[in-house]
Amino acid sequence: MKTKFALLLPLCFATVAAADWPAFLGGASRSDAVSFSPPTTWSATKGVRWQVPLVGHGQSSPIVIGDHVYVTAIDGPMKERNLVSCFDLGSGQQRWQHVSESSLQVKNDVYTSRAAPTPVADAGGVYAFFESGNLIAFDPEGQVRWSRDLLKDYGKYEGRFGLGGSLAQTEDRIFVLADNEGPAYVLALDKVTGETIWKTDRESRTAWSSPMIVPVDGKPQLVVSATGTIDGYAVDSGEQLWSFDEVGGNTVATPIVVGDSQFLIGASPGRNGESSEGSRRSNGLYEINAVDGKFSLTQVWRNEKANSSFGSPVAHSGHAYYANRAGVVYCLDLQTGEAKFTARLADSNWATPIGIGKHVYFFGRGGETTVLEIGPTENIVATNKLWKPEGDGGPGGFNGEIQYGVAAIPDGFIIRTGTKLFRIGE
């Protein structure tokens, strides 16, 4: 059985199996894996099939193709080294690891991104992008197929906190979003050769969101939500097809595909209340309209109380779920935006929630995952502690282990912290 969104997408999308999780959020927001059956309970001593330490530190999500699990990390006091590692899905044993020199060496600390962009993969291999501008393609056995230094080609990235946008892909190309205070752009590269197919410049800005492929009348568009605009690009040419600027606070969350031409947008005020007015009018459902070959974006509904912080919202089983910085989740009717309930999570979630079957999983920052049963009323099924949280996480809550990213697999999850990789589900 294929996932719901795999059935919806056209053949130009990257060829992957139904059980794969080949990109950030599964690719075309494959958060509703209808054939998967993960557990609802686990702990540090029960329900963990394996866990392995990771060299260096990383904030990207794991991705899965067949029995290959790929993760990225950086290492060194000045982030001197970029690492790509491949693990066996069944045993957790490391298959290979590649270490390369970073083209942008800056202090390795909790306030800058550390291997934040999630790679993409298909049957031909994996494509890893780092905030240093290094982009490397590997075959499944870890042999380098090609590499690019985007800083050398297009200029140095600027900004205090680094780059966060993950890669997106179709069958024959990958897409890079470089939103920063220096040269900003969106870029398409050929998967086989690594050559640039097109490059479209963007206004410089501070943002860490990722591009997403959205089907519009069965054809893909690349949608970007970042710091004051939502923009749509043609995947074949890079032409900007439409832009929507009635938003704010949309610096982190990624557009979440709901169906053909529709997606959710998440936004939140800054820690000091920045963009509070803009974020209130931004969280909601949007639709791409096509009339006589021209495209525009409209807001179908908005909810001024709901917002999402580090994690993006999720659409599942007729509901939209938004989790804010304080760990409060808002359940909304997906068609109308009407609030159904609010619930207090065990912890604020940094990884984007995943909806599967009768449940939605919220992966808390400090290792506590809250499982909600779907429906119009609150029903917390379980709170699972993968490890015991230590203190308050230090300045800004960034210290200690953090559940940064998750990949769904048919019988569980692959969870990644800064320095560890877990397989949940026995």
Side-chain angles (χ1 to χ4, degrees), residues 248-298:
N250 56 325
T251 59
V252 178
T254 292
I256 300 297
V257 178
V258 172
D260 193 278
S261 303
Q262 290 191 332
F263 54 88
L264 293 174
I265 288 295
S268 66
R271 287 188 174 273
N272 298 314
E274 307 94 331
S275 302
S276 57
E277 178 61 32
S279 67
R280 276 197 296 270
R281 63 174 184 264
S282 301
N283 290 282
L285 180 67
Y286 294 76
E287 183 170 28
I288 302 171
N289 307 289
V291 178
D292 297 330
K294 301 294 184 180
F295 298 94
S296 63
L297 188 70
T298 57

Side-chain angles (χ1 to χ4, degrees), residues 125-148:
V126 60
Y127 309 83
F129 176 57
F130 295 88
E131 61 266 32
S132 60
N134 298 111
L135 177 61
I136 313 173
F138 303 87
D139 68 19
E141 305 309 314
Q143 298 300 309
V144 175
R145 295 167 48 203
W146 53 261
S147 64
R148 292 283 300 271

Side-chain angles (χ1 to χ4, degrees), residues 330-355:
Y330 295 81
C331 176
L332 314 176
D333 183 281
L334 186 55
Q335 297 302 315
T336 67
E338 177 189 0
K340 294 300 182 180
F341 66 83
T342 60
R344 173 71 66 173
L345 303 175
D347 197 359
S348 61
N349 69 290
W350 287 24
T352 294
I354 296 178

Side-chain angles (χ1 to χ4, degrees), residues 47-107:
V48 179
R49 181 161 175 174
W50 49 255
Q51 63 173 296
V52 294
L54 299 174
V55 177
H57 194 284
Q59 298 167 314
S60 58
S61 295
I63 57 173
V64 180
I65 293 288
D67 60 357
H68 290 61
V69 180
Y70 299 104
V71 294
T72 59
I74 55 90
D75 195 25
M78 293 295 293
K79 302 205 299 188
E80 294 93 341
R81 294 174 291 279
N82 297 326
L83 294 86
V84 181
S85 302
C86 177
F87 296 87
D88 181 82
L89 177 63
S91 66
Q93 181 177 357
Q94 183 173 294
R95 290 173 176 263
W96 55 264
Q97 182 175 89
H98 182 272
V99 182
S100 58
E101 184 178 355
S102 169
S103 294
L104 181 61
Q105 298 186 11
V106 296
K107 186 178 179 180

